[in-house]
Amino acid sequence: MNNGLGAIHILLTMFDGRTNLSTDVENDIRKRFKEGVFKTTIPRNVRLSEAPSFGKPIILYDIKSKGAQSYLKLAKEVISNEKKAIR
């Protein structure tokens, strides 16, 4: 067992808020795992699907896409969480 490991968080990906299924799954996961779920969700996004075909990460392929912006938001959330944990 590695005592140096931090808490595990759940990241909701391929999220589509227009569908009842995505919304129901999100609500169930957040209810069950509470603080263990990132606030940021990664949407279902065509640009995210295209990026690997061009051999690029989404940040280089299309930084303005919803998918790239969501991953940047996730990075900020992770950094913020780490800063809070250090205090």
Side-chain angles (χ1 to χ4, degrees):
M1 186 164 126
N2 187 343
N3 291 330
L5 293 177
I8 294 173
H9 277 73
I10 296 168
L11 175 63
L12 298 171
T13 62
M14 298 183 73
F15 181 79
D16 186 344
R18 300 171 299 177
T19 68
N20 290 335
L21 178 60
S22 283
T23 302
D24 290 347
V25 169
E26 178 185 26
N27 291 337
D28 289 347
I29 295 290
R30 290 191 188 283
K31 183 178 176 183
R32 170 74 170 91
F33 296 100
K34 297 176 180 52
E35 297 299 316
V37 183
F38 285 108
K39 290 181 177 95
T40 303
T41 59
I42 308 300
R44 184 176 290 274
N45 181 256
V46 172
R47 303 303 271 174
L48 281 173
S49 301
E50 292 173 344
S53 298
F54 290 89
K56 294 182 180 181
I58 190 60
I59 302 299
L60 296 179
Y61 181 63
D62 185 357
I63 195 162
K64 293 181 180 180
S65 70
K66 274 190 166 185
Q69 291 300 305
S70 295
Y71 275 109
L72 290 171
K73 184 177 175 186
L74 174 65
K76 290 175 185 175
E77 183 179 347
V78 169
I79 291 167
S80 176
N81 289 348
E82 285 301 311
K83 284 181 179 178
K84 288 176 189 173
I86 291 171
R87 293 182 191 154

